[in-house]
Amino acid sequence: MVSRKKQLRKKQWEEIDLTNFKLLPSAKPPFFHGSTVRKATQYLWNKKLRPTVLEQQENKCCICNWIPKNASELRRLHLHEIEIYDFENKVCHLIEIKLICRECHSFQHIGRTQSVLNKKQWEDLMQHFIKVNNCSPDVDFDLVLAKSLQSEGYFEAQRKLTSGMTIEERMKLAKEPVRFTINPGIPLAEELRMHLMKRKLLYDGSYQ
């Protein structure tokens, strides 16, 4: 028999409507941690791509609409990489770059965020989450997080990785560098591709 507590949890899960949230927590699969186009093309990214994206997206967070008041605050706007992951070939497909503020960006890497913030910092960040989403202060963040990751296919992708490969295959793949593809619609896409190609990090296939 299902316990009353489990029944309540299930009801709460079913009642969460992610479409009501402008800001949702996300997470990068551990298999791809530390591997980004930004790190692989850092000089080009910082000197040319960032100014281009700032101008195109009008120096405004695409989630909460925050706009910096001065040049110093401009550093609080980050370029966030929207990626799709190919576990079988260990490829990260960069499909879009969005301009978001530091606080909203914290929720896009929620695993790291939760591990480095102290209690006060976390409480302040949760106030940002509540304000942006105009939701109740009593929102069950753990349920929102779990449902958001499920909707992204995060758990399913991890399951496929562990069930579809032998230990030997996973160990062999783990030693290989992450490779990338670049959506042609991204600013400076061809220059990014050339930098990746020189470093032998450009995948010669495409996302299907």
Side-chain angles (χ1 to χ4, degrees):
M1 180 179 294
V2 179
S3 69
R4 183 176 180 82
K5 185 176 180 180
K6 287 184 177 180
Q7 287 179 331
L8 177 61
R9 200 68 171 168
K10 181 180 179 182
K11 185 174 184 296
Q12 291 173 328
W13 174 273
E14 293 171 347
E15 288 176 347
I16 293 175
D17 183 1
L18 296 182
T19 60
N20 293 329
F21 290 81
K22 292 175 62 178
L23 173 59
L24 283 168
S26 185
K28 187 165 184 168
F31 201 55
F32 293 88
H33 278 184
S35 299
T36 65
V37 173
R38 174 178 55 83
K39 287 185 178 180
T41 63
Q42 198 157 23
Y43 184 82
L44 172 62
W45 188 277
N46 292 333
K47 296 298 182 180
K48 295 182 67 174
L49 182 63
R50 177 175 168 80
T52 299
V53 174
L54 283 169
E55 181 179 359
Q56 288 183 349
Q57 301 188 25
E58 301 179 332
N59 291 357
K60 181 171 68 175
C61 175
C62 70
I63 297 177
C64 71
N65 296 323
W66 178 79
I67 298 175
K69 297 177 182 177
N70 51 53
S72 178
E73 287 191 348
L74 195 63
R75 290 177 296 179
R76 290 175 55 191
L77 282 176
H78 299 176
L79 272 60
H80 175 55
E81 295 149 278
I82 308 299
E83 303 165 330
I84 295 177
Y85 308 103
D86 175 354
F87 285 83
E88 184 177 352
N89 296 297
K90 201 173 181 180
V91 176
C92 174
H93 303 279
L94 179 60
I95 61 172
E96 191 177 358
I97 297 174
K98 290 187 176 182
L99 192 62
I100 60 180
C101 71
R102 181 178 61 193
E103 287 73 21
C104 287
H105 202 189
S106 296
F107 288 95
Q108 308 308 310
H109 304 278
I110 195 61
R112 180 183 183 280
T113 297
Q114 288 180 317
S115 69
V116 300
L117 297 189
N118 60 40
K119 184 179 180 180
K120 177 62 167 58
Q121 290 170 327
W122 178 252
E123 289 174 350
D124 290 343
L125 198 60
M126 281 304 301
Q127 289 304 310
H128 180 77
F129 181 83
I130 291 166
K131 180 180 178 181
V132 172
N133 291 314
N134 192 28
C135 61
S136 168
D138 298 323
V139 62
D140 191 323
F141 184 77
D142 288 339
L143 279 182
V144 173
L145 171 60
K147 199 160 189 176
S148 180
L149 293 181
Q150 183 191 65
S151 70
E152 290 182 349
Y154 179 89
F155 300 119
E156 179 64 14
Q158 293 292 87
R159 186 193 65 78
K160 285 183 178 179
L161 175 65
T162 56
S163 64
M165 293 183 181
T166 65
I167 294 177
E168 290 76 14
E169 288 173 332
R170 291 201 299 272
M171 290 179 64
K172 180 180 179 181
L173 191 60
K175 295 178 181 179
E176 297 294 326
V178 172
R179 291 174 295 165
F180 305 91
T181 66
I182 307 292
N183 183 333
I186 287 176
L188 308 180
E190 192 55 36
E191 287 189 61
L192 291 170
R193 283 174 50 85
M194 292 302 296
H195 274 68
L196 293 170
M197 186 181 298
K198 289 177 181 178
R199 298 190 60 184
K200 298 182 180 180
L201 295 176
L202 184 67
Y203 182 59
D204 58 7
S206 61
Y207 178 72
Q208 302 295 327

